Amino acid sequence: MAEQSGRTPGSGRDLRSLVDPVVVVAFGGWNDAGNAATGVVDHLQEAYGAELAFALDPDDFYDFQVNRPLVSLTDDDERELTWPTTEVRVGRLADGRDLVLVQGLEPNLRWRQFSTTIASALQSANARRVHVLGALLADTPHTRPIPVSTSTYDRELMTSLGLVPSTYEGPTGIVGVIGDTLARAGLEVLSLWAAVPHYVSHPPCPKATLALLSSLEQLLDTSLDQGELPELARAWERGVDELAADDTEVAEYVSTLEEQQDATELPEASGEAIAAEFERYLRRRRGN
């Protein structure tokens, strides 16, 4: 049986050669309802051919009785072990900017050391801003757009983007810890959280992944390759519609959530929102 210590460094670009890269971070586990956040990184990795730059040594940060290594068969019918770890990959967006993707399972051990290691790597990559993604279960209907909240510790950035300060108090995951570490290291940190309908929490949730990707697109002011995500999101919604149609209690609950959400929203979209959406549409058309 071939054994792998996590994933060995690949042929990706040297992080020190990057200039003002776009950085996206997501972790599986507690911070990733419906695998929506890691789904964004998986999608970007495939869409932009991101290659492995390096992986952290899993022995330092993971409890293998909690996150066990996986056994799989290679094309040559050999068995190999893949250990839980966190990887840093590098690609390039269509607009020419470098793309740095950080993804892994939420670590079990030494969170402060883990966060400092990631922060050091991103400083070496000349990163200025980091987009940290998360997803939580919420009382939101699957028939409406998935809400995405964006927040930051940076008061100046908060003002420039018109963001509202986060008022959350309570337990946090590695997303909160690493966001704090990055901010203290002098990097701008934007946290994006998608609200996944709790009654359909089983992953994947492509509609929430698409919502996060669309919010990221707006923050970057560029068109991102959405691939099959729009089609997958529509198929997911149709599937949940069918499940609700077969269960009266679920259907009534969804109807209640719809009424609650509609009651808290303005009856008409503002002119600014319509103009922003039209501009995104035109950028996408030019990109195609």
Side-chain angles (χ1 to χ4, degrees), residues 37-231:
T38 52
V40 173
V41 177
D42 286 337
H43 173 78
L44 292 174
Q45 175 184 320
E46 182 176 352
Y48 296 103
E51 298 180 336
L52 183 65
F54 71 91
L56 300 185
D57 187 341
D59 286 351
D60 292 335
F61 305 110
Y62 292 94
D63 179 343
F64 300 136
Q65 290 184 320
V66 177
N67 293 306
R68 293 181 180 274
L70 300 176
V71 178
S72 59
L73 291 175
T74 67
D75 293 338
D76 299 326
D77 290 331
E78 290 189 10
R79 304 178 75 83
E80 68 177 10
L81 281 176
T82 300
W83 296 85
T85 188
T86 293
E87 297 179 343
V88 177
R89 291 180 175 271
V90 178
R92 176 161 290 181
L93 296 175
D95 63 8
R97 282 184 283 183
D98 291 312
L99 174 66
V100 176
L101 302 173
V102 181
Q103 181 184 3
L105 288 172
E106 181 177 66
N108 310 111
L109 309 167
R110 304 181 183 90
W111 281 21
R112 285 179 291 185
Q113 180 185 340
F114 177 90
S115 299
T116 300
T117 300
I118 297 297
S120 177
L122 295 181
Q123 287 176 315
S124 297
N126 302 306
R128 181 177 61 89
R129 180 178 297 177
V130 180
H131 306 83
V132 183
L133 310 184
L136 69 157
L137 299 178
D139 294 327
T140 184
H142 73 279
T143 54
R144 298 292 190 265
I146 296 291
V148 175
S149 63
T150 303
S151 61
T152 181
Y153 299 107
D154 190 309
R155 293 288 177 177
E156 184 176 339
L157 184 59
M158 187 186 304
T159 300
S160 67
L161 294 177
L163 302 178
V164 178
S166 173
T167 58
Y168 174 77
E169 294 180 302
T172 189
I174 192 61
V175 165
V177 173
I178 203 166
D180 180 75
T181 302
L182 292 169
R184 292 178 185 277
L187 284 74
E188 295 180 353
V189 180
L190 285 169
S191 296
L192 289 75
W193 283 83
V196 176
H198 71 88
Y199 56 92
V200 281
S201 59
H202 186 75
C205 184
K207 187 171 182 177
T209 295
L210 179 60
L212 281 169
L213 186 68
S214 297
S215 295
L216 184 62
E217 188 177 52
Q218 294 176 37
L219 289 169
L220 296 175
D221 193 27
T222 191
S223 294
L224 296 174
D225 184 351
Q226 295 187 348
E228 297 181 352
L229 275 176
E231 181 179 347

